[in-house]
Amino acid sequence: MPDNWDKDVYPEPPRRTPAPSPQTSLPNPITYLSKAFDLLVDRPVTLVRDFIDRQHAKNRFYYYHRQFRRVPDITECTEKDVLCMYEAEMQWQRDYKVDQEIVNIIQERMKACQQREGDSYQQNCAQELEQFTQVSKAYQDRYHDLGAHYSARKCLAKQKQRMLKERKAAKEAAAA
Amino acid sequence: MAAMSLLQRASVTALAALSGRHPGTRLGFGGFLVRGFPKTAAPVRHSGNHGKRLFVIKPSGFYDKRFLSLLRFYILLTGIPVVIGITLINVFIGEAELAEIPEGYIPEHWEYYKHPISRWIARNFYECPEKHYEKTMAVLDIEAEKADLRLKELEVRALMRARGDGPWYQYPTVDKALISHSPKATPDN
């Protein structure tokens, strides 16, 4: 992440260092400090890291990310089918984790934008703010307040309640 | 030291003055004390480097020091080999790199971990999550079947008892052929 990140999502602000225009004829101490840092810290660390990388290159092995197949949802299971319900439940828990990470990523984008823009973040980061409010509202509607013993069935029940409320509100709006 | 000797001389004179009739005065210098005060007053020597040597009175630090030293010893006894081992593993074996799953290849369950020690633990001690999943599904299936069959048995029992046309609730009765249908002498036979 520190070396290669998505430059479109987290853009770097343009550099504003001016060209050096020394007012005095005295030498700049920063050059000496940077050379000292380079000699005393950067070179030994790079040598050690190169040694370690050479040892790692001798025997490489890989790790993979798990791929899960999509299984029928809890809405597509018949009533007493425990196997279908178990698979749907596991899939729902994985989706819950994924949704949590999605909210984290959107939040991080908003935080990075605020850090970049400084005091003018409210107008320059409007897109990120809007995205974050939408995503967190959706997450709250779906997953908030399910309790400690949450499950796919309870989430489905919450969705049913929400749909009933929407239908009632729509009917009242149509009647009024 | 000068103060101490002054104090001693002052106490002796006070004692002698206060208790003139006390038998202690006849015992001489020191009174009731067994060893007595020192006979000569040596000049006090002050060292040039640390100042006067003092006998600092403080509570015993022996038990605390012993506890901390033992704690350090037993923690480092296994701590240092563990730290050295982990450092060597990180330097010489290294972590795994992320790769796409190749076509037609099903990775073993330990190949989903990055650090070599996690991979070793997953390979030798943990069972693979697919197996656990399938075992859970098997248990759920068996229990669901059992519950299903028990409910069905109750229903079947009720129906067979009510209708009487099933194999259960058949009670043995007397053989029909043994009944004699011939007319009897009295009507109440």
Side-chain angles (χ1 to χ4, degrees):
Chain A
M1 177 67 186
D3 280 338
N4 40 358
W5 67 91
D6 196 352
K7 300 279 197 302
D8 298 320
V9 182
Y10 300 101
E12 272 175 336
R15 289 179 176 273
R16 286 154 51 183
T17 35
S21 56
Q23 307 286 331
T24 62
S25 57
L26 293 173
N28 192 359
I30 294 190
T31 36
Y32 297 114
L33 286 174
S34 62
K35 276 197 192 133
F37 178 83
D38 182 41
L39 210 60
L40 293 173
V41 176
D42 204 2
R43 285 245 190 99
V45 167
T46 317
L47 285 171
V48 170
R49 184 70 216 173
D50 285 339
F51 168 76
I52 294 180
D53 280 338
R54 275 199 303 272
Q55 305 304 316
H56 287 183
K58 284 184 193 159
N59 44 351
R60 293 183 147 195
F61 49 99
Y62 302 97
Y63 76 106
Y64 312 103
H65 280 169
R66 278 207 184 264
Q67 311 276 354
F68 290 100
R69 284 190 282 267
R70 297 301 294 184
V71 287
D73 220 4
I74 189 107
T75 48
E76 295 166 29
C77 288
T78 59
E79 196 179 320
K80 300 278 176 151
D81 191 358
V82 278
L83 294 180
C84 178
M85 289 202 299
Y86 178 73
E87 297 211 295
E89 179 73 39
M90 292 292 122
Q91 186 179 257
W92 180 84
Q93 279 181 5
R94 290 194 292 268
D95 289 341
Y96 186 22
K97 275 234 148 66
V98 167
D99 284 335
Q100 286 169 344
E101 292 303 319
I102 290 175
V103 173
N104 279 342
I105 288 173
I106 304 280
Q107 195 178 21
E108 247 172 64
R109 276 194 207 170
M110 189 187 71
K111 287 197 289 205
C113 184
Q114 191 268 327
Q115 170 74 10
R116 262 199 321 270
E117 306 293 338
D119 280 323
S120 59
Y121 71 94
Q122 264 153 342
Q123 60 233 86
N124 290 356
C125 295
Q127 205 185 6
E128 269 87 0
L129 280 173
E130 176 64 32
Q131 212 175 26
F132 178 66
T133 43
Q134 276 176 357
V135 163
S136 58
K137 175 92 182 29
Y139 182 84
Q140 200 176 16
D141 283 341
R142 202 195 274 194
Y143 294 114
H144 188 60
D145 239 353
L146 288 178
H149 307 286
Y150 53 78
S151 83
R153 280 182 75 168
K154 293 195 180 166
C155 189
L156 186 64
K158 189 177 174 196
Q159 188 188 19
K160 186 184 82 175
Q161 290 294 320
R162 202 165 61 237
M163 288 166 94
L164 287 173
K165 280 201 190 89
E166 273 174 23
R167 202 185 280 182
K168 202 161 91 167
K171 209 187 284 183
E172 276 171 16
Chain B
M1 272 312 198
M4 287 264 286
S5 54
L6 256 176
L7 192 59
Q8 286 158 16
R9 269 179 261 150
S11 66
V12 162
T13 44
L15 198 62
L18 281 171
S19 54
R21 283 174 295 285
H22 240 265
T25 46
R26 270 183 236 129
L27 295 174
F29 209 52
F32 290 115
L33 298 176
V34 173
R35 281 205 301 189
F37 292 122
K39 300 276 194 298
T40 53
V44 174
R45 285 174 220 118
H46 299 256
S47 56
N49 41 8
H50 285 279
K52 206 152 72 156
R53 257 182 61 182
L54 298 172
F55 181 78
V56 178
I57 298 180
K58 59 184 199 297
S60 156
F62 171 74
Y63 300 99
D64 296 334
K65 257 194 154 55
R66 183 180 67 177
F67 168 71
L68 290 171
S69 113
L70 286 174
L71 187 75
R72 271 198 314 265
F73 173 71
Y74 283 110
I75 286 179
L76 293 179
L77 186 65
T78 44
I80 288 184
V82 160
V83 163
I84 289 178
I86 293 180
T87 309
L88 290 176
I89 288 179
N90 280 341
V91 166
F92 290 107
I93 300 182
E95 292 184 337
E97 291 164 13
L98 184 58
E100 288 290 325
I101 301 182
E103 283 295 324
Y105 175 65
I106 302 177
E108 306 281 344
H109 66 278
W110 66 80
E111 288 177 6
Y112 291 106
Y113 294 96
K114 190 159 71 162
H115 197 259
I117 299 181
S118 318
R119 282 168 85 102
W120 181 77
I121 294 175
R123 192 169 68 229
N124 293 356
F125 301 115
Y126 287 174
E127 64 173 10
C128 57
E130 291 96 354
K131 190 169 159 197
H132 177 71
Y133 194 84
E134 296 292 329
K135 265 165 49 175
T136 319
M137 294 231 283
V139 162
L140 282 174
D141 191 31
I142 289 173
E143 292 299 315
E145 229 180 281
K146 271 156 70 171
D148 216 11
L149 288 175
R150 281 177 190 143
L151 283 173
K152 274 203 187 123
E153 191 198 327
L154 289 174
E155 229 181 283
V156 155
R157 246 185 25 207
L159 284 173
M160 281 202 204
R161 197 173 194 161
R163 296 178 192 163
D165 58 351
W168 295 355
Y169 295 103
Q170 306 283 344
Y171 302 104
T173 47
V174 185
D175 188 11
K176 210 167 61 173
L178 299 172
I179 304 175
S180 78
H181 293 280
S182 56
K184 310 288 184 294
T186 49
D188 302 323
N189 241 1

